[in-house]
Amino acid sequence: MESSYFNNIVNSEYSRKNDGRIEYGTAGFRTKSDILEHVLYRMGLLAVLRSKAKKAAIGLMITASHNLEPDNGIKLVDSAGEMLEVSWEMIATNLANVLDSDLTSMLAHISTKENIDLSIPATVIIGRDTRKSSPILLKAVLAGIKALNGNVTDLGLVTTPQLHYVVVCTNTDGAYGNPTLQGYYSKLAAVFKSIRGTEINNGKYISRLQLDAANGVGAIAVREFQRYLKDVLDIKLFNDGSGDLNYMCGADYVKVQQTLPLNIPSEKSVRCVSIDGDADRVVYFYIDGNNKFHLLDGDRIATLVAAYFKELLETSGLSLQLGLVQTAYANGGSTDYISNVLKVPVACVPTGVKHLHKKALEFDIGVYFEANGHGTVIFKDTAKDAIKNHAKNEILSTTQRVASSKLKDVTDLINETVGDALSDMLLVETILHTKGWDVIEWERSYNDLPNRQLKVRVKDRNIITTTNAERHCLTPVCLQEEIDKIVSKYSRGRSFVRPSGTEDIIRVYAECESSSDVNRLAVEVASLVY
Ligand code: NG1
Ligand code: ZN
């Protein structure tokens, strides 16, 4: 069957028109949209094979997340809603780069090597962001899926986490929720409302926030939440899609530039939220009475969430192992706080959600966040059962019972499949509401060390290789020694360099005690890699 099955697969409309190599990186394929059509066609083909291999529905998201409008990209979502299995990343890269003349034989090779039963039906669930190039790329994907007779569920304009959610719900026969957008909104909104009860405000917490949607697809989802939550949470929407995507706005801009996004009114002490172009990252910020900008990033969200879970576990008397996973970009202030004050085990892994997710699976309850605001909480099945059963335990005291059922409700508010800006936001809002905290109280738990990120353009970023969760350079030889020398001059100094997986640059990170020195530290280290 195999050789004939892949006949007529080469489609002249989607022939490979350039020689440049493209790689399936931490965020799938991502580059200028005008050189992506053949890649998207081929990913349509691959998604059908992956679906047959897993005997389940597979997701495809067309997005370039926080990148500017001219870029686009595609990532595959595996059957349990997680990122594509690592061994298939290489298969995807090979398929994207093969000559048209070898496409048929490579598909046959993949299906033999992966032992794929081609008679099994395939389903591919597709989502896309609001980029102007997305419809053309969608057409290419659809052509690929159709060429191998796959079935398609096209969700249209959705956030990346919504696509992950629908894939999981589809493959678990609805046990995780209804596999529709309506299922997504109603599940999260219902839990959010039921936890909040009738008390809309509490203590210093006021149920109002300003949200910068990066002019991306998240704005559509926010409008839906405005409808679902209109009586309990007042969300003022900015950068709602009428301006340029991710241009001087969105979570990445706010995190890296540490400044207000365009269009957000600088109202003193008002909680503000920025999400990115596909709504899988979220950061908070506010302006104080002196017009100073304060950022509450992924590290802050992680510590708030971990502290809350720790409190609920202790109060309910439930013994589950809680752990937190970060990357080298986590602020040293947050890591000290987690280890020394919260006393929650903390692990550091290389950049990229797949690494964080994998490590978090080792804990009963694993909280993971990148400093840029991409993260979530995941639970072992046994932990979820324990939480459910504990809430029903009759010998619990009232305090234990209340904590126990809160723990259960909060679990339902989390999109475990992937970092989800809006589900994370609802979780933060829930915790702040419960504690009666405004954003200033939240910030009080620890001090961030002043920090700076720089991008350096080099000829070949891959000359830099790293180890120890990217915190030390292996090559070029002696580079680490030079970095160490510079860092040792700064009190509480820390700095590292690594090649980006999504842009053709080297990233430089620096932090130290003094805000007036941190720029100098970053520039000194950056000058070593020019
Ligand atoms: P690179 O370009 O490899 O640094 C960036 C982010 C990652 C992750 C990916 C995927 C930083 C420093 N890096 O990766 O955390 O989110 O994009 O989008 O924020
Ligand atoms: Zn994103």
Side-chain angles (χ1 to χ4, degrees):
M1 177 170 182
E2 262 152 43
S3 50
S4 61
Y5 187 81
F6 297 112
N7 278 350
N8 306 320
I9 232 59
V10 179
N11 181 329
S12 57
E13 205 179 326
Y14 299 116
S15 58
R16 184 167 171 256
K17 296 185 185 76
N18 56 47
D19 295 337
R21 189 176 161 77
I22 180 158
E23 271 177 38
Y24 197 98
T26 34
F29 293 109
R30 199 181 286 184
T31 186
K32 296 282 163 269
S33 60
D34 49 3
I35 55 169
L36 268 171
E37 267 181 272
H38 72 284
V39 177
L40 275 272
Y41 173 71
R42 291 168 183 207
M43 287 309 106
L45 300 172
L46 190 68
V48 172
L49 293 189
R50 184 65 184 159
S51 173
K52 288 175 188 287
K54 297 293 286 185
K55 302 184 177 61
I58 290 297
L60 271 184
M61 182 72 194
I62 302 169
T63 181
S65 182
H66 57 275
N67 292 30
L68 294 173
E69 177 71 41
D71 287 356
N72 213 328
I74 185 159
K75 45 192 170 189
L76 274 84
V77 176
D78 242 336
S79 52
E82 76 282 40
M83 304 280 173
L84 180 65
E85 188 182 303
V86 177
S87 63
W88 275 67
E89 289 183 1
M90 186 51 82
I91 295 176
T93 297
N94 291 340
L95 193 67
N97 290 292
V98 75
L99 295 175
D100 285 313
S101 52
D102 294 333
L103 187 58
T104 305
S105 59
M106 184 173 276
L107 289 167
H109 173 74
I110 296 169
S111 82
T112 310
K113 187 150 176 289
E114 297 298 322
N115 213 1
I116 297 172
D117 178 352
L118 295 172
S119 65
I120 290 176
T123 300
V124 185
I125 305 173
I126 309 176
R128 64 179 199 277
D129 73 14
T130 51
R131 282 160 212 273
K132 290 180 197 80
S133 56
S134 290
I136 295 167
L137 296 178
L138 171 67
K139 210 174 136 232
V141 163
L142 291 173
I145 298 170
K146 200 166 153 230
L148 289 183
N149 295 319
N151 302 307
V152 172
T153 305
D154 181 6
L155 299 178
L157 295 170
V158 287
T159 69
T160 294
Q162 285 177 331
L163 173 72
H164 284 252
Y165 168 88
V166 173
V167 171
V168 180
C169 294
T170 303
N171 289 329
T172 52
D173 290 329
Y176 193 72
N178 278 336
T180 59
L181 291 184
Q182 205 205 343
Y184 169 88
Y185 292 118
S186 51
K187 177 182 173 181
L188 293 182
V191 191
F192 181 80
K193 282 184 181 170
S194 94
I195 304 178
R196 185 149 297 205
T198 49
E199 197 104 18
I200 304 302
N201 301 317
N202 181 30
K204 291 188 176 167
Y205 176 88
I206 296 172
S207 200
R208 174 168 88 91
L209 56 86
Q210 301 186 148
L211 192 147
D212 150 35
N215 288 313
V217 68
I220 299 172
V222 169
R223 278 198 201 94
E224 285 298 313
F225 275 122
Q226 280 176 321
R227 229 163 38 80
Y228 277 86
L229 299 175
K230 67 176 182 313
D231 301 328
V232 284
L233 182 63
D234 178 7
I235 307 174
K236 297 240 170 325
L237 178 60
F238 299 88
N239 300 322
D240 62 354
S242 44
D244 293 337
L245 176 67
N246 295 322
Y247 176 69
M248 294 181 77
C249 61
D252 193 64
Y253 175 81
V254 171
K255 164 71 183 158
V256 176
Q257 303 302 327
Q258 303 186 24
T259 187
L260 281 185
L262 279 184
N263 303 321
I264 284 260
S266 55
E267 251 184 86
K268 187 183 149 240
S269 305
V270 169
R271 244 177 8 266
C272 299
V273 174
S274 269
I275 63 176
D276 74 336
D278 63 338
D280 58 2
R281 288 189 192 180
V282 59
V283 295
Y284 275 72
F285 57 93
Y286 74 95
I287 293 289
D288 69 17
N290 298 320
N291 233 5
K292 185 171 175 255
F293 173 85
H294 295 247
L295 177 70
L296 294 101
D297 61 5
D299 302 337
R300 291 272 175 195
I301 299 174
T303 48
L304 180 78
V305 171
Y308 188 57
F309 271 99
K310 187 174 181 222
E311 192 183 307
L312 289 179
L313 286 172
E314 280 173 1
T315 316
S316 65
L318 193 56
S319 165
L320 290 173
Q321 201 206 3
L322 174 68
L324 206 152
V325 187
Q326 303 185 310
T327 71
Y329 290 98
N331 195 283
S334 75
T335 315
D336 286 351
Y337 172 72
I338 296 158
S339 315
N340 304 327
V341 180
L342 289 184
K343 299 197 190 304
V344 168
V346 55
C348 183
V349 298
T351 305
V353 182
K354 67 181 178 205
H355 300 295
L356 289 107
H357 192 97
K358 189 162 164 236
K359 189 72 191 172
L361 287 169
E362 292 178 14
F363 301 103
D364 290 332
I365 303 177
V367 181
Y368 71 83
F369 268 88
E370 297 191 299
N372 60 32
H374 192 173
T376 186
V377 187
I378 52 178
F379 303 83
K380 280 195 180 144
D381 284 344
T382 47
K384 268 196 180 160
D385 288 344
I387 291 170
K388 236 185 263 163
N389 294 334
H390 195 66
K392 291 186 220 146
N393 194 332
E394 286 179 5
I395 58 164
L396 296 186
S397 69
T398 313
T399 323
Q400 284 177 318
R401 196 185 316 284
V402 171
S404 190
S405 62
K406 268 216 174 117
L407 194 57
K408 197 196 142 297
D409 288 345
V410 170
T411 310
D412 287 338
L413 194 55
I414 292 162
N415 185 347
E416 279 183 76
T417 62
V418 74
D420 180 335
L422 298 172
S423 145
D424 288 341
M425 179 187 86
L426 295 180
L427 177 62
V428 168
E429 293 298 313
T430 298
I431 300 173
L432 295 181
H433 172 265
T434 305
K435 292 193 160 297
W437 281 359
D438 59 9
V439 73
I440 299 160
E441 291 287 314
W442 173 18
E443 196 187 23
R444 207 160 271 164
S445 46
Y446 68 87
N447 290 324
D448 265 329
L449 288 170
N451 60 90
R452 188 95 180 93
Q453 268 192 55
L454 296 177
K455 295 180 183 186
V456 183
R457 241 165 242 291
V458 291
K459 247 201 201 131
D460 177 11
R461 70 190 201 267
N462 293 317
I463 56 161
I464 294 199
T465 57
T466 63
T467 184
N468 189 13
E470 305 176 319
R471 290 170 292 187
H472 289 267
C473 285
L474 287 173
T475 61
V477 183
C478 297
L479 176 58
Q480 188 58 49
E481 227 173 276
E482 298 293 319
I483 296 175
D484 291 344
K485 257 191 238 162
I486 295 173
V487 168
S488 68
K489 296 186 293 183
Y490 295 84
S491 170
R492 297 187 75 189
R494 186 170 72 92
S495 179
F496 63 91
V497 300
R498 58 172 278 278
S500 158
T502 60
E503 291 177 70
D504 198 11
I505 49 151
I506 303 276
R507 289 195 201 281
V508 177
Y509 176 86
E511 68 181 29
C512 67
E513 194 158 34
S514 150
S515 55
S516 52
D517 284 352
V518 73
N519 260 341
R520 192 151 41 89
L521 171 56
V523 170
E524 271 194 74
V525 173
S527 69
L528 297 174
V529 291
Y530 273 127

